[in-house]
Amino acid sequence: MSAPNKSFDPVEVEALKPEEIARMRDEALAAFAAAGDLAALHEAKIAHTSDRSPLALANREIGALPPQAKVDVGKRVGGARGEVSRALKARQAELEAERDARVLVEEAVDVTLPTDRFTPGARHPLTTLSERIEDVFVAMGYEVAEGPEVEAEWFNFDALNFTPDHPARAMQDTFFVRATDGGGAEQDAERDAETGIVLRTHTSPVQVRSMLDREPPIYVVCPGRVYRTDELDATHTPVFHQVELLAIDEGLTMADLKGTLDHMVGALFGAGVRTRLRPNYFPFTEPSAEMDMQCYVCHGESVGNPDRPCRTCSSEGWIELGGCGMVNPRVLVACGIDPQKYSGFAFGFGIERMLMFRHNVEDMRDMVEGDVRFTRPFGMEI
Ligand code: DAH
């Protein structure tokens, strides 16, 4: 290796001449300025700042220079590279800002444009009403109990004190799955074999199942689907829903029944809506009553007042809810409960009817046809 050439004049090295370095710098600056987008700038960056760019190559030459020239040329090349790098950074920022502004405009979403409606599914109002009723009782400590829809006739009628020839069996217009005397192939369960199988005509058999399954005190609310051989029309449907309530404890009286009913209608229709009981007959309660609630819309003010007709109660002031009473001791005995020690009350009513007067639904068929135009106004309760 030869000794450093102390008398070297940098002007003599072509690539390191000041005007050459200035030209390299200017070309780089011009290329950056000319780059119309980030891709073009990237190309220019490779051409003018990579290891093989003219300025990088010039920089490499510096090492071979004599010490006194190194400083001079080093400053010049370094200065040029610094300028190029700053220009690149500035142009990069400029083009990025331009791109961002363009993206904002080009990719803007016009939120006022009409869209395809996406309607989320909703639960049927019969379900939500039934659950709301359950909630009222669950809050009071009741338990939700359910039973089968295909039910042994024994649970549906016999245990509830309907005698075999009781007109109520015909009155209930039952769907028989297997008639009483039919025998049937599968005679496994003794009760089924003896009594026939029906589609339950009410939720009252769940009372029987609840009493057989539990020790008193018993507090159950029993929602469910029931069946009767009715034609589907504006006020009847062969499949409908009921909610049944049963309380068995020591010392329960009609007053507890009345207080429970008042609390329920207050919770569902507004505090202060009263109930009244009218004597009636059910085989499974004694005494039995028909329960009415005061009309929650007119509060009775439409009665005898033709100027203020009320379509919710047909201007009668009261709305019939369902049946109720004190559990018949014969039912308690059939369910293995000592009537000397325990008493109970029960009531049952139809959900479709309640939905009709609660929401002014005029035709029961709307509830079973599955048209979302009916269910949608009830909202998206979950
Ligand atoms: N199960 C009766 C029906 O469907 C309604 C009913 C009446 C239920 C009186 C009761 C009751 O619990 O005590 O018509």
Side-chain angles (χ1 to χ4, degrees), residues 153-224:
E153 206 182 337
W154 187 85
F155 284 104
N156 196 79
F157 293 124
D158 300 71
L160 290 165
N161 196 38
F162 289 78
T163 50
D165 57 349
H166 200 289
R169 296 203 197 219
M171 197 175 79
Q172 299 245 23
D173 288 333
T174 309
F175 280 114
F176 276 85
V177 175
R178 192 177 74 202
T180 315
D181 55 359
E186 351 73 270
Q187 302 219 336
D188 37 9
E190 208 182 304
R191 261 177 206 141
D192 292 359
E194 282 169 12
T195 68
I197 308 284
V198 299
L199 294 186
R200 67 179 179 193
T201 57
H202 51 176
T203 40
S204 302
V206 189
Q207 289 189 24
V208 178
R209 289 182 174 274
S210 302
M211 286 188 269
L212 288 171
D213 284 354
R214 296 165 177 75
E215 291 297 319
I218 299 167
Y219 289 87
V220 288
V221 55
C222 322

Side-chain angles (χ1 to χ4, degrees), residues 6 8-13 15-19 21-22 55 58-59 61-63 65-81:
K6 294 218 163 60
F8 177 84
D9 178 359
V11 179
E12 287 170 10
V13 177
L16 298 178
K17 284 184 184 164
E19 57 276 20
I21 289 167
L55 276 172
N59 196 50
E61 302 280 334
I62 296 171
L65 296 179
Q68 63 266 49
K70 262 188 190 164
V71 178
D72 224 22
V73 178
K75 263 190 196 160
R76 203 175 302 141
V77 173
R81 294 183 88 196

Side-chain angles (χ1 to χ4, degrees), residues 160 162 171-172 201-205 207 226 228 240 242-246 257 280-282 284-285 287-291 322-327 345-349:
L160 290 165
F162 289 78
M171 197 175 79
Q172 299 245 23
T201 57
H202 51 176
T203 40
S204 302
Q207 289 189 24
V226 301
R228 292 185 198 175
F240 58 104
Q242 290 188 333
V243 168
E244 188 90 12
L245 197 91
L246 173 72
L257 166 62
N280 197 0
Y281 172 77
F282 295 102
F284 40 95
T285 41
S288 302
E290 204 65 47
M291 52 185 184
C324 64
M326 299 306 291
V327 180
F345 61 80
F347 60 79
F349 54 88

